């Protein structure tokens, strides 16, 4: 941790009232010594910084470490500030941030994550001969102190910072999706709050000939663009805009433009208060805030920025998570006993879910809207109909009453709190009217898309259509429900999760007390089990994922079977690992070749396009490809197949993947095929092993994970009747075998 180096406050004892204020985080040396001896207190490792000789603003990996310790005697603020401003304090070396990976060693549920992004001010530039004093580590210290006394004291906070000196916000906007742009760093760090401080360079240094209004408009729009892009990322809940400082050397025109930008930026932030907060640059005497050359902020100035930010960022980190549960009578919690509806109810599963979640996340607010008889099809048809339309209800869950709801998003979004998670349980009532799975399936997909794309919900969870006595008595309806559930579980999305219904229905038993007497609604016990089963999944989606995996490839990735519904192995992994997001895109074309995939990298469902669409950097990309090339009779040779698979892996690495996994081609699919096919397959696998070995820690190859049915009779159910595709049991086995390898890579 960096924060101790940059503290410019003294640690003398002060009055009780001052000790409770943010500006009074000063303690005696005895207090500090006592804390350091306390179990779980800071260690010397917390005060390790990396000192770089070069001037790479993003840092590098070859810096030397220098230990820094608490002071041996108390000093006042002015003395400590003067010491930090002395060049020899750090042997005239510059302090640079390390690479983003150094700040993301742990993204567990016990950690808040904040990222500070911007220009030289974010780096803490003081001048050519002075050490850098980034405000981020100071902010981290103050936030940790504040959180010690909060309800969320069991979670720590980690503040990362990324900046580049003299970078105009115009360039930040242009390069927002580049390898060193804002989104790339967000995807590596996974922050819940992003602090953006940029724009001064454009006004003071870069655009001397632009008119005042034009300059103001351009800078404002560029800053807003960065915030809006950040909101689209999976983990980001909120952003903070720091107002631009007016350097003493600024001309009258430049000072006017800066004030105009700040005024407009604050007004915009107020209108989007559910996602962004504006923090004005703190006012201080010029001699305390600016270095003598009047170009750079002093250590005291950066400290004041951190102090001003602390209550705002703390509030956002502790801001309540909002969960909205939507559905039919099962969401309402209806039970049927002794022929009467809700004789002892209702028992919404939301209550049981919330009780479980709050043990891990105290600041959760859950609401539900359960409408008996509500269908998925009608819900999609009435998205905007207040007060019970799906989107209208989400906005109410965010605090917008139906009477003041405006269809114009520009007017309505500002006063609505962010809804982090929406849970949907629909489809049972549709079964009585729909003859096929298609209307129900498309309606459910439409609802999830509407939540994430129109209501800006961060994540959604789909609960499978439950079994029932009605389905037992109408087998055709049971098949429809199964198809809908199978297809919904196969959705290739990182923002949508699927929960299989946690218990079965058997009309020949009492079903362990899980069902009401009507055989359609759960009992109180059933709702409790449903809520408890949902809670771990919901909690993990609220707090963000630890790791992210993307699976890409042919029919083996899409879960294609010969005669059954798809059963993708990535979905099986996604449901097994609550702390890992597993997205996928597999071809439903049963004979998609690696050569075709390599030719379609930038197409709609191409690998490069899909990785850019996911909105995050992948820890691992798993690729299945090449089997159908081997089986083809078009004369394709082993070298061409290998080169196509290699291109897929190189593309994944070039698009930010930290690691890729090659799944070797299966001998089992060849069986009695021609000898030259076996030779071609073996040649491809051999080339892939050599490639993986040469890539070192970046690429891992595993042999085909499912046992050959000819070798083990008991495993014959792993393959479909055509001998080319896996069965549902085969995909379960595939996931079980490949899972440990993926886990070892991401750990």
């Amino acid at each position: 941790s960096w924060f101790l180096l940059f503290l410019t406050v003294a640690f003398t004892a002060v009055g009780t009232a001052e000790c409770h204020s943010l500006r009074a985080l000063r303690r005696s040396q005895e207090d500090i010594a006592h804390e350091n001896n306390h179990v779980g207190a800071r260690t010397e490792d917390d005060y390790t910084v990396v000192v770089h000789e070069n001037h790479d603003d993003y840092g590098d990996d070859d810096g030397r470490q220098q230990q820094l310790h608490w002071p041996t005697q108390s000093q006042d603020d002015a003395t400590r500030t003067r010491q930090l401003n002395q060049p020899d304090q750090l042997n005239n070396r510059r302090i640079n941030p390390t690479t983003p990976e150094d700040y993301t060693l742990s993204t567990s549920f016990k950690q808040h994550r904040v990222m500070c992004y911007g220009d030289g001010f974010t780096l803490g530039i003081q001048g050519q001969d002075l050490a850098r004093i980034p405000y981020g580590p100071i902010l981290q210290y103050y936030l940790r102190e504040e959180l010690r006394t909060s309800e969320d004291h069991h979670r720590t906070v980690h503040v990362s910072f990324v900046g580049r000196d003299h970078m105009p916000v115009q360039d930040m906007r242009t390069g927002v999706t580049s390898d060193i742009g804002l989104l790339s760093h967000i995807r590596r760090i996974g922050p819940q709050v992003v602090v953006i401080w940029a724009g001064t360079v454009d006004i003071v240094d870069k655009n001397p000939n632009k008119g005042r209004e034009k300059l103001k408009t351009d800078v404002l729009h560029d800053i807003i663009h960065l915030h809006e892009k950040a909101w689209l990322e999976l983990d980001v809940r909120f952003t903070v805009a720091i107002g631009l400082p007016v350097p003493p050397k600024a001309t009258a025109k430049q000072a006017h433009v800066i004030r105009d930008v700040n005024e407009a930026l604050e007004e915009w932030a107020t209108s989007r208060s559910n996602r962004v907060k504006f923090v004005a640059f703190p006012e201080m005497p010029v001699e305390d805030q600016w270095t003598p050359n009047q170009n750079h902020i002093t250590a005291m100035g950066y400290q004041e920025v951190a102090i001003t930010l602390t209550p705002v960022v703390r509030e956002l980190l502790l801001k309540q998570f909002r969960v909205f549960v939507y559905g039919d009578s099962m969401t309402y919690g209806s039970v049927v006993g002794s022929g009467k509806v809700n004789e002892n109810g209702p028992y919404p599963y939301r209550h049981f879910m919330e009780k479980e979640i709050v043990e891990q996340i105290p600041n959760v607010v859950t609401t539900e809207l359960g409408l008996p008889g509500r269908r998925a099809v009608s819900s999609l048809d009435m998205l905007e109909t207040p007060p019970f339309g799906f989107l209208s209800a989400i906005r109410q869950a965010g605090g917008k009453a139906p009477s003041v709801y405006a269809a114009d998003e520009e007017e309505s979004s500002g006063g609505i709190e962010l809804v982090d998670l929406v849970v949907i349980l629909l489809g049972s009532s549709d079964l009585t009217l729909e003859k096929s799975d298609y209307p129900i399936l498309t309606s459910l997909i439409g609802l999830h898309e509407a939540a994430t794309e129109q209501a800006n919900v961060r994540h959604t969870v789909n609960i499978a259509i439950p079994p029932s006595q009605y389905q037992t008595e109408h087998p055709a309806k049971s098949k429809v429900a199964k198809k809908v559930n199978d297809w919904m579980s196969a959705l290739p999305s990182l923002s949508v999760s699927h929960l299989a219904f946690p218990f079965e229905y058997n009309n020949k038993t009492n079903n362990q007390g899980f069902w009401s007497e009507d055989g359609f609604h759960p009992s109180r016990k059933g709702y409790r089990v449903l809520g408890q089963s949902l809670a771990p999944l919901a909690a993990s989606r609220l707090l963000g994922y630890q790791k992210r995996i993307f699976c890409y490839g042919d029919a083996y990735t899409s879960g294609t079977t010969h005669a059954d519904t798809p059963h993708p192995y990535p979905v099986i992994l996604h449901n097994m690992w609550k702390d890992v997001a597993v997205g996928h895109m597999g071809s439903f074309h049963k004979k998609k070749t690696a050569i075709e995939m390599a030719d379609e990298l930038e197409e709609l469902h191409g690998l490069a396009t899909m990785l850019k669409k996911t909105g995050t950097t992948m820890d691992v990309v798993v690729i299945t490809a090449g089997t159908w090339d081997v089986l083809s009779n078009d004369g394709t040779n082993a070298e061409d197949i290998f080169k196509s698979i290699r291109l897929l892996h190189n593309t994944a690495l070039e698009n930010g993947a930290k690691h890729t996994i090659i799944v070797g081609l299966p001998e089992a699919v060849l069986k009695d095929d021609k000898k030259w096919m076996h030779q071609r397959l073996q040649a491809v696998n051999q080339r892939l092993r050599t490639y993986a070995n040469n890539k070192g820690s970046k690429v891992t190859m595993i042999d085909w994970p499912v046992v050959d049915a000819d070798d083990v009779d008991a495993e014959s159910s792993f393959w479909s009747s055509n001998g080319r595709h896996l069965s549902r049991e085969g995909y379960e086995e595939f996931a079980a075998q490949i899972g440990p390898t993926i886990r070892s890579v991401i750990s």
Side-chain angles (χ1 to χ4, degrees), residues 109 151-152 154-155 319-325 349-367 420-423 461 463 499 528 530-544:
F109 298 156
E151 292 182 357
D152 210 18
H154 61 291
R155 296 176 69 197
K319 204 169 186 65
Q320 291 175 327
F321 288 95
R322 290 179 177 264
V323 180
F324 176 58
V325 177
Y349 68 85
R350 172 185 69 84
H351 291 298
F352 301 106
M353 174 192 70
E354 183 182 80
K355 184 177 180 181
E356 296 290 322
I357 291 178
V358 295
E359 294 183 5
Q360 186 175 357
I361 315 173
N363 54 328
V364 170
V365 173
T366 67
T367 55
D420 297 274
L421 180 69
V422 168
V423 181
V461 173
I463 299 179
L499 179 71
R528 185 181 73 249
L530 176 57
Q532 291 172 342
S533 300
L534 176 61
L537 178 61
S540 69
R541 299 317 180 241
L542 288 174
L543 293 174

Side-chain angles (χ1 to χ4, degrees), residues 200 202-205 207-210 212 215 245-259 294-295:
T200 305
D202 303 69
I203 299 171
V204 175
D205 296 332
N207 297 284
N209 298 322
K210 270 191 182 181
R212 173 177 166 180
L215 186 56
V246 181
K249 72 165 191 174
T251 65
K253 171 192 168 183
Q254 292 167 347
H256 278 300
V257 173
I258 290 174
R259 294 188 183 99
Q294 298 188 341
N295 286 328

Side-chain angles (χ1 to χ4, degrees), residues 18-301:
E18 185 183 11
C19 284
H20 287 286
S21 72
L22 182 61
R23 298 173 185 275
L25 293 172
R26 307 181 179 96
R27 294 167 296 174
S28 66
Q29 183 63 26
E30 291 76 16
D31 291 334
I32 295 165
H34 172 75
E35 180 185 51
N36 286 339
N37 291 327
H38 192 272
V39 175
R42 302 182 184 87
T43 65
E44 282 192 358
D45 290 338
D46 287 325
Y47 316 126
T48 300
V49 300
V50 178
V51 183
H52 295 281
E53 299 288 357
N54 67 352
H55 188 57
D56 177 7
D57 291 325
Y58 284 95
D60 55 26
D61 292 321
D62 57 0
R64 295 180 307 195
Q65 293 193 343
Q66 170 176 319
Q67 298 290 335
L68 295 164
H69 307 279
W70 289 89
T72 56
Q73 58 183 0
S74 300
Q75 299 164 307
D76 60 27
D77 291 355
T79 303
R80 180 164 296 282
T81 300
R82 285 196 297 274
Q83 285 191 347
L84 283 171
N85 275 298
Q86 293 300 318
D88 60 356
Q89 175 74 6
L90 292 169
N91 302 321
N92 291 316
R93 298 190 184 99
R94 298 179 183 277
I95 301 288
N96 290 346
T98 54
T99 56
E101 287 79 4
D102 292 332
Y103 290 97
T104 55
L105 298 178
S106 172
T107 52
S108 68
F109 298 156
K110 294 185 178 181
Q111 187 180 71
H112 293 292
R113 299 181 299 280
V114 179
M115 188 182 93
C116 304
Y117 182 82
D119 51 28
F121 291 141
T122 299
L123 287 177
I125 300 291
Q126 290 192 94
Q128 194 68 21
D129 299 323
L130 298 178
R132 297 182 180 184
I133 312 294
Y135 71 88
I138 312 174
L139 174 63
Q140 175 176 284
Y141 171 77
Y142 284 129
L143 286 172
R144 286 182 174 181
E145 292 298 312
E146 286 286 287
L147 289 175
R148 289 176 193 273
T149 59
S150 73
E151 292 182 357
D152 210 18
H153 61 85
H154 61 291
R155 296 176 69 197
T156 186
V157 60
H158 200 85
V159 179
S160 309
F161 62 96
V162 180
R164 173 160 286 180
D165 198 14
H166 299 299
M167 176 174 272
V169 70
Q170 181 181 11
D171 290 354
M172 295 181 195
R173 174 177 181 163
T174 303
V176 69
T177 59
S178 71
D179 291 341
I180 59 172
L182 172 65
L183 301 191
S184 176
H185 292 295
I186 288 176
R187 293 166 188 176
R188 288 189 179 97
I189 294 167
Q192 292 100 2
V193 176
V194 176
V195 182
I196 298 175
W197 192 8
T200 305
V201 173
D202 303 69
I203 299 171
V204 175
D205 296 332
K206 298 293 183 180
N207 297 284
N209 298 322
K210 270 191 182 181
R212 173 177 166 180
E213 187 61 30
K214 173 66 173 170
L215 186 56
K216 167 215 163 181
T217 301
D218 288 350
V219 171
L220 177 66
H221 288 174
D222 289 342
I223 295 172
I224 291 174
H225 182 80
L226 295 179
H227 286 269
E228 291 177 340
K229 282 293 184 180
W231 296 343
L232 298 177
E233 297 302 302
L234 283 172
D235 289 315
V236 177
R237 297 186 74 207
F238 307 103
T239 60
V240 177
I242 301 180
L244 309 186
V246 181
K249 72 165 191 174
T251 65
K253 171 192 168 183
Q254 292 167 347
H256 278 300
V257 173
I258 290 174
R259 294 188 183 99
D260 289 345
V261 169
N262 286 339
E263 182 179 339
L265 190 60
E266 183 175 14
E267 182 179 350
W268 169 78
T270 301
S271 71
R272 295 292 185 273
S273 58
N274 63 329
R275 298 306 301 270
V276 60
K277 299 296 181 185
F278 176 82
V279 174
F281 183 72
E283 295 185 4
M284 291 176 65
V286 172
E287 61 273 16
D288 292 337
Q289 195 167 41
W290 294 91
T291 56
N293 65 8
Q294 298 188 341
N295 286 328
H296 303 99
I297 299 173
T298 63
M300 185 180 293

Side-chain angles (χ1 to χ4, degrees), residues 469-481:
Q469 183 175 336
Y470 175 77
Q471 293 180 41
T472 302
E473 296 170 352
H474 300 81
K477 301 296 186 181
S478 179
K479 290 181 179 179
V480 170

